[in-house]
Amino acid sequence: MKHLLKLADLSSEEIFAILNLADQLKYERKNHIEHHHLKGKKLGMIFQKSSTRTRVSFEVGMYELGGYALFLSDRDLQIGRGEPIKDTVRVLSRYLDGIMIRTFAQKDVEELAQYGSIPIINGLTDYCHPCQVLADLMTIREYKGSFKGLKLCFVGDGNNMANSLIVGGIKMGMEVAVACPEGYRPDKDICAWAEKNGKLLVTSDIAAAAKDADAVYTDVWASMGQEAEKTEREKIFRNYCVNKDVMALAKPDALVLHCLPAHRGEEIEDEVFEAHAQEIFDEAENRLHAQKAVLVKLLK
Ligand code: CP
Ligand code: NVA
């Protein structure tokens, strides 16, 4: 494993190894056992979109591993004024030991990996969000013990989260069901791959997707960069809300997961969110542990 550009690039074994290391790092942190695996290493964090969790968990994660993280906003970098990404990365490769980037186009992340000479980590693109799904998988295993026989349901937009959850879910052997409106389905190639390699249902029928689910996942209707479509999307997605009726169809002990930030009263009902706040914030915490595992695997 040289980079983390998308989950599809990792084998199931590599994902399991990251999750196992993440569990270990979580245990060590809880027990105040120092783990300076990345002493003296430097991570650049390029942000072309907003972030709370990704920024803070990567920065704190590098600190806890004995390394250092630099926050690089595109408002300040020359990228924001048009310097090509392939030049930027060849410069940054001379200073840093790794780069985490949050941006729009997946091809920009691929280009960093192509032109740079250090590990690149995808901190979210319009196409996928692999770091989030590693934390999600860690959380599911923490609560359910294993992935065996589980059904993972996603309700909402067939966006970056849906794409990565399909790949991660199938690679871990779960059945994945996605409920989304026609025209807002997940990536076609990802769905075709998933159908070949496991059990995937993509439907506009929320009940069919939620039925007997072990985990119900949702995300915003309008992602970063889609602000102009917000009003139109509110109409289209109105029925794609994780509420009590949807949860009544899932297994009684089903988890509710959300990558956050959440819009209560849109993709998730406040009561459902609060009833499942424990696992949702465990999931947010697990960003830290899962990403520290990725950093150790790539930068050590
Ligand atoms: N879930 C997630 O990636 O959160 P941020 O946008 O706050 O980083
Ligand atoms: N789909 C959301 C995820 C945020 C973590 C977005 O891209 O804005």
Side-chain angles (χ1 to χ4, degrees):
M1 180 177 159
K2 271 174 68 188
H3 305 284
L4 176 58
L5 309 181
K6 56 185 190 299
L7 283 183
D9 299 336
L10 305 189
S11 66
S12 303
E13 292 71 28
E14 283 172 316
I15 296 177
F16 273 115
I18 291 169
L19 300 183
N20 293 344
L21 179 56
D23 285 348
Q24 186 190 328
L25 293 169
K26 183 170 183 171
Y27 170 85
E28 289 175 2
R29 183 180 193 261
K30 197 171 156 212
N31 290 284
H32 310 287
I33 301 167
E34 196 180 271
H35 41 226
H36 283 172
H37 300 298
L38 298 183
K39 205 153 185 260
K41 300 276 185 182
K42 296 159 289 282
L43 177 77
M45 309 187 300
I46 303 175
F47 281 92
Q48 301 191 288
K49 290 175 176 172
S50 305
S51 169
T52 298
R53 281 143 288 270
T54 306
R55 179 187 172 176
V56 178
S57 55
F58 266 106
E59 194 162 333
V60 169
M62 276 306 282
Y63 175 79
E64 290 181 356
L65 290 167
Y68 181 74
L70 293 85
F71 173 68
L72 305 166
S73 159
D74 79 334
R75 272 189 292 263
D76 308 316
L77 290 172
Q78 296 286 8
I79 294 184
R81 297 180 57 247
E83 182 168 15
I85 214 152
K86 60 185 180 190
D87 292 353
T88 304
V89 73
R90 281 180 283 187
V91 173
L92 294 182
S93 290
R94 308 282 180 115
Y95 306 139
L96 301 168
D97 300 292
I99 292 176
M100 192 285 302
I101 179 164
R102 165 166 289 194
T103 189
F104 295 87
Q106 179 71 15
K107 76 165 179 29
D108 286 351
V109 179
E110 310 274 345
E111 199 170 306
L112 284 182
Q114 185 189 342
Y115 285 91
S117 53
I118 54 177
I120 305 298
I121 300 170
N122 181 344
L124 179 147
T125 59
D126 294 342
Y127 176 68
C128 66
H129 196 0
C131 291
Q132 177 68 51
V133 169
L134 290 171
D136 301 337
L137 295 172
M138 179 180 175
T139 310
I140 292 171
R141 193 170 69 160
E142 218 167 54
Y143 274 85
K144 299 289 176 190
S146 88
F147 299 110
K148 231 184 159 115
L150 298 187
K151 178 179 177 182
L152 170 64
C153 163
F154 178 88
V155 176
D157 186 20
N159 60 14
N160 42 12
M161 280 312 315
N163 286 339
S164 285
L165 283 166
I166 293 172
V167 177
I170 296 289
K171 282 195 184 255
M172 295 296 93
M174 288 188 279
E175 177 185 342
V176 181
V178 178
C180 54
E182 288 285 345
Y184 293 85
R185 298 203 155 188
D187 181 80
K188 264 208 296 303
D189 294 337
I190 288 180
C191 291
W193 169 87
E195 277 157 13
K196 243 190 262 152
N197 289 278
K199 204 166 165 202
L200 173 72
L201 170 72
V202 179
T203 173
S204 42
D205 178 0
I206 304 170
K211 193 172 177 339
D212 296 326
D214 296 280
V216 179
Y217 202 114
T218 190
D219 181 22
V220 292
W221 292 340
S223 286
M224 291 181 276
Q226 297 172 335
E227 288 77 8
E229 297 170 35
K230 192 174 184 306
T231 315
E232 185 196 345
R233 283 172 169 265
E234 276 168 13
K235 282 187 220 130
I236 295 165
F237 285 94
R238 199 170 34 223
N239 297 323
Y240 291 83
C241 172
V242 175
N243 54 27
K244 284 182 289 303
D245 297 341
V246 170
M247 291 314 296
L249 299 164
K251 295 229 179 95
D253 61 349
L255 300 174
V256 172
L257 297 173
H258 195 308
C259 54
L260 304 175
H263 292 67
R264 291 165 167 82
E266 292 182 22
E267 78 276 2
I268 191 160
E269 197 176 61
D270 181 53
E271 243 179 286
V272 170
F273 184 99
E274 292 303 335
H276 292 271
Q278 186 63 42
E279 63 244 29
I280 292 171
F281 292 107
D282 280 343
E283 176 190 11
E285 178 190 324
N286 285 341
R287 292 291 306 276
L288 174 65
H289 312 299
Q291 287 158 199
K292 279 166 78 178
V294 169
L295 288 166
V296 171
K297 293 272 178 207
L298 292 177
L299 269 56
K300 195 174 171 178

